[in-house]
Coordinates of all heavy atoms in Angstrom, one line a residue:
I192 N -7.0 -6.9 -4.7 CA -7.4 -6.1 -5.9 C -8.9 -6.4 -6.2 O -9.4 -7.5 -6.1 CB -6.5 -6.6 -7.1 CG1 -7.0 -5.9 -8.4 CG2 -6.6 -8.1 -7.3 CD1 -6.1 -6.2 -9.6
C193 N -9.6 -5.3 -6.6 CA -11.0 -5.5 -7.0 C -11.0 -5.7 -8.5 O -10.4 -4.9 -9.3 CB -11.8 -4.2 -6.6 SG -13.5 -4.3 -7.1
I194 N -11.7 -6.7 -9.0 CA -11.8 -7.0 -10.4 C -13.2 -6.8 -10.9 O -13.5 -7.3 -11.9 CB -11.3 -8.4 -10.7 CG1 -12.1 -9.5 -9.9 CG2 -9.8 -8.6 -10.4 CD1 -11.7 -10.9 -10.2
G195 N -13.9 -6.0 -10.2 CA -15.3 -5.6 -10.7 C -16.4 -6.3 -10.0 O -16.3 -7.4 -9.6
K196 N -17.5 -5.5 -9.9 CA -18.8 -6.1 -9.4 C -18.6 -6.6 -8.0 O -19.2 -7.7 -7.7 CB -19.4 -7.1 -10.3 CG -19.7 -6.6 -11.7 CD -20.3 -7.6 -12.6 CE -20.7 -7.0 -14.0 NZ -21.3 -8.0 -14.9
G197 N -17.8 -6.0 -7.2 CA -17.6 -6.4 -5.8 C -16.8 -7.7 -5.6 O -16.8 -8.3 -4.5
R198 N -16.1 -8.1 -6.7 CA -15.3 -9.3 -6.6 C -13.9 -8.9 -6.3 O -13.3 -8.1 -7.0 CB -15.4 -10.1 -7.8 CG -14.7 -11.5 -7.7 CD -14.7 -12.3 -9.0 NE -13.9 -13.4 -8.9 CZ -13.4 -14.1 -10.0 NH1 -13.6 -13.6 -11.2 NH2 -12.6 -15.1 -9.8
F199 N -13.3 -9.6 -5.3 CA -11.9 -9.3 -4.9 C -11.0 -10.5 -5.1 O -11.5 -11.7 -4.9 CB -11.8 -8.8 -3.5 CG -12.4 -7.4 -3.3 CD1 -13.8 -7.3 -3.1 CD2 -11.6 -6.3 -3.3 CE1 -14.3 -6.0 -2.9 CE2 -12.1 -5.0 -3.1 CZ -13.5 -4.9 -2.9
L200 N -9.7 -10.3 -5.3 CA -8.7 -11.3 -5.3 C -7.6 -10.8 -4.3 O -7.3 -9.7 -4.2 CB -8.1 -11.5 -6.6 CG -9.0 -12.0 -7.8 CD1 -8.2 -12.1 -9.1 CD2 -9.6 -13.4 -7.4
T201 N -7.0 -11.8 -3.6 CA -5.9 -11.5 -2.7 C -4.6 -12.1 -3.4 O -4.6 -13.3 -3.7 CB -6.1 -12.2 -1.3 OG1 -7.1 -11.5 -0.7 CG2 -4.8 -12.0 -0.5
L202 N -3.6 -11.2 -3.5 CA -2.4 -11.6 -4.2 C -1.2 -11.6 -3.3 O -1.1 -10.8 -2.3 CB -2.1 -10.7 -5.4 CG -2.8 -10.9 -6.7 CD1 -4.3 -10.7 -6.6 CD2 -2.2 -9.9 -7.7
V203 N -0.3 -12.6 -3.5 CA 1.0 -12.6 -2.8 C 2.1 -12.5 -3.8 O 2.1 -13.3 -4.8 CB 1.1 -13.9 -2.0 CG1 2.5 -14.0 -1.2 CG2 0.0 -14.1 -1.0
L204 N 3.0 -11.6 -3.6 CA 4.1 -11.3 -4.5 C 5.4 -11.7 -3.9 O 5.7 -11.3 -2.7 CB 4.1 -9.9 -4.9 CG 5.2 -9.4 -5.9 CD1 4.7 -9.9 -7.3 CD2 5.4 -7.9 -5.9
D205 N 6.3 -12.4 -4.6 CA 7.7 -12.6 -4.2 C 8.4 -11.3 -4.5 O 8.7 -10.9 -5.7 CB 8.3 -13.8 -5.0 CG 9.7 -14.0 -4.6 OD1 10.3 -13.2 -3.8 OD2 10.3 -15.0 -5.1
L206 N 8.9 -10.6 -3.5 CA 9.5 -9.3 -3.7 C 10.9 -9.4 -4.3 O 11.4 -8.4 -4.8 CB 9.6 -8.5 -2.3 CG 8.2 -8.0 -1.8 CD1 8.4 -7.4 -0.4 CD2 7.7 -6.9 -2.8
D207 N 11.5 -10.5 -4.2 CA 12.8 -10.7 -4.8 C 12.8 -11.0 -6.3 O 13.6 -10.5 -7.1 CB 13.6 -11.8 -4.0 CG 13.9 -11.4 -2.6 OD1 14.4 -10.3 -2.4 OD2 13.5 -12.1 -1.7
S208 N 11.8 -11.9 -6.7 CA 11.8 -12.3 -8.1 C 10.7 -11.5 -8.9 O 10.8 -11.4 -10.1 CB 11.4 -13.8 -8.2 OG 10.1 -14.0 -7.8
G209 N 9.8 -10.9 -8.2 CA 8.7 -10.1 -8.8 C 7.6 -11.0 -9.3 O 6.7 -10.6 -10.1
A210 N 7.6 -12.3 -8.9 CA 6.5 -13.2 -9.4 C 5.4 -13.2 -8.4 O 5.5 -13.2 -7.2 CB 7.1 -14.6 -9.5
V211 N 4.2 -13.3 -9.0 CA 3.0 -13.6 -8.2 C 2.9 -15.0 -7.8 O 2.9 -15.9 -8.7 CB 1.7 -13.2 -9.0 CG1 0.4 -13.6 -8.2 CG2 1.7 -11.7 -9.2
V212 N 3.0 -15.4 -6.6 CA 3.1 -16.8 -6.2 C 1.8 -17.3 -5.6 O 1.7 -18.5 -5.4 CB 4.2 -17.0 -5.1 CG1 5.6 -16.6 -5.7 CG2 3.9 -16.1 -3.8
F213 N 0.8 -16.5 -5.5 CA -0.5 -17.0 -5.0 C -1.6 -16.0 -5.4 O -1.4 -14.7 -5.3 CB -0.5 -17.2 -3.5 CG -1.9 -17.6 -2.9 CD1 -2.4 -18.8 -3.1 CD2 -2.7 -16.6 -2.3 CE1 -3.6 -19.2 -2.6 CE2 -3.9 -16.9 -1.8 CZ -4.4 -18.2 -1.9
V214 N -2.8 -16.5 -5.8 CA -4.0 -15.7 -6.0 C -5.1 -16.4 -5.3 O -5.4 -17.5 -5.7 CB -4.3 -15.5 -7.5 CG1 -5.5 -14.7 -7.7 CG2 -3.1 -14.9 -8.3
G215 N -5.7 -15.7 -4.4 CA -6.8 -16.3 -3.6 C -8.1 -15.5 -3.9 O -8.1 -14.3 -4.1
E216 N -9.2 -16.3 -3.8 CA -10.6 -15.6 -4.0 C -10.9 -14.9 -2.8 O -10.8 -15.3 -1.7 CB -11.6 -16.7 -4.3 CG -11.5 -17.3 -5.7 CD -12.1 -16.4 -6.8 OE1 -12.7 -15.4 -6.4 OE2 -11.8 -16.7 -7.9
G217 N -11.5 -13.6 -3.0 CA -11.9 -12.8 -1.8 C -10.8 -12.0 -1.3 O -9.7 -11.8 -1.8
K218 N -11.1 -11.4 -0.1 CA -10.1 -10.5 0.6 C -10.1 -10.9 2.1 O -11.0 -11.5 2.6 CB -10.4 -9.0 0.3 CG -11.8 -8.6 0.9 CD -12.0 -7.1 0.6 CE -13.4 -6.7 1.1 NZ -13.6 -5.2 0.9
G219 N -9.1 -10.4 2.8 CA -9.0 -10.7 4.2 C -8.2 -12.0 4.4 O -7.7 -12.7 3.5
G220 N -8.1 -12.3 5.7 CA -7.3 -13.4 6.2 C -7.8 -14.8 5.6 O -6.9 -15.6 5.2
C221 N -9.1 -15.0 5.4 CA -9.6 -16.2 4.9 C -9.1 -16.6 3.5 O -8.9 -17.7 3.1 CB -11.1 -16.2 4.9 SG -11.8 -16.2 6.6
A222 N -8.9 -15.5 2.7 CA -8.5 -15.7 1.3 C -7.1 -16.3 1.2 O -6.7 -16.9 0.2 CB -8.5 -14.4 0.5
L223 N -6.3 -16.2 2.3 CA -4.9 -16.7 2.3 C -4.8 -18.1 2.9 O -3.7 -18.7 2.9 CB -4.1 -15.8 3.2 CG -3.8 -14.4 2.6 CD1 -3.3 -13.4 3.7 CD2 -2.8 -14.4 1.5
C224 N -5.8 -18.7 3.3 CA -5.7 -20.1 3.9 C -5.0 -21.1 3.0 O -4.1 -21.8 3.5 CB -7.1 -20.6 4.3 SG -7.8 -19.7 5.7
P225 N -5.4 -21.2 1.7 CA -4.6 -22.2 0.9 C -3.1 -21.9 0.8 O -2.3 -22.8 0.7 CB -5.3 -22.1 -0.5 CG -6.7 -21.5 -0.2 CD -6.4 -20.6 1.0
F226 N -2.8 -20.6 0.8 CA -1.4 -20.2 0.7 C -0.6 -20.6 1.9 O 0.5 -21.1 1.8 CB -1.3 -18.7 0.5 CG 0.1 -18.2 0.6 CD1 1.0 -18.4 -0.5 CD2 0.6 -17.4 1.7 CE1 2.3 -18.0 -0.4 CE2 1.9 -17.0 1.7 CZ 2.8 -17.2 0.6
W227 N -1.2 -20.5 3.1 CA -0.5 -20.9 4.4 C -0.2 -22.4 4.4 O 0.8 -22.8 4.8 CB -1.3 -20.5 5.6 CG -1.6 -19.0 5.7 CD1 -2.8 -18.5 6.0 CD2 -0.7 -17.9 5.6 NE1 -2.7 -17.1 6.1 CE2 -1.4 -16.7 5.9 CE3 0.7 -17.8 5.4 CZ2 -0.8 -15.5 5.8 CZ3 1.3 -16.6 5.3 CH2 0.5 -15.4 5.6
R228 N -1.2 -23.2 3.9 CA -1.0 -24.6 3.8 C 0.2 -25.0 2.9 O 1.1 -25.8 3.2 CB -2.3 -25.3 3.3 CG -3.4 -25.3 4.4 CD -4.5 -26.3 4.0 NE -5.2 -25.9 2.8 CZ -6.3 -25.1 2.8 NH1 -6.8 -24.7 3.9 NH2 -6.8 -24.9 1.6
R229 N 0.2 -24.3 1.7 CA 1.3 -24.6 0.8 C 2.6 -24.1 1.3 O 3.7 -24.7 1.1 CB 1.0 -23.9 -0.6 CG -0.1 -24.6 -1.4 CD -0.3 -23.9 -2.7 NE 1.0 -23.8 -3.4 CZ 1.2 -23.0 -4.4 NH1 0.2 -22.2 -4.8 NH2 2.3 -22.9 -5.1
L230 N 2.6 -23.0 2.0 CA 3.8 -22.4 2.5 C 4.4 -23.3 3.6 O 5.7 -23.5 3.7 CB 3.6 -21.0 3.1 CG 4.8 -20.1 3.4 CD1 5.5 -19.8 2.1 CD2 4.4 -18.9 4.1
R231 N 3.6 -23.8 4.5 CA 4.1 -24.8 5.5 C 4.7 -26.0 4.9 O 5.7 -26.5 5.3 CB 2.9 -25.2 6.5 CG 2.6 -24.1 7.5 CD 1.7 -24.7 8.6 NE 0.4 -25.2 8.1 CZ -0.7 -24.5 7.9 NH1 -0.7 -23.2 8.3 NH2 -1.8 -25.0 7.5

Side-chain angles (χ1 to χ4, degrees):
I192 177 176
C193 179
I194 55 175
K196 297 182 179 179
R198 187 184 172 201
F199 288 86
L200 298 176
T201 293
L202 277 63
V203 180
L204 182 79
D205 179 355
L206 288 170
D207 294 309
S208 70
V211 174
V212 295
F213 175 77
V214 180
E216 287 284 347
K218 60 180 180 177
C221 294
L223 289 165
C224 289
F226 174 70
W227 301 132
R228 288 195 294 270
R229 287 182 53 198
L230 194 64
R231 282 194 299 270

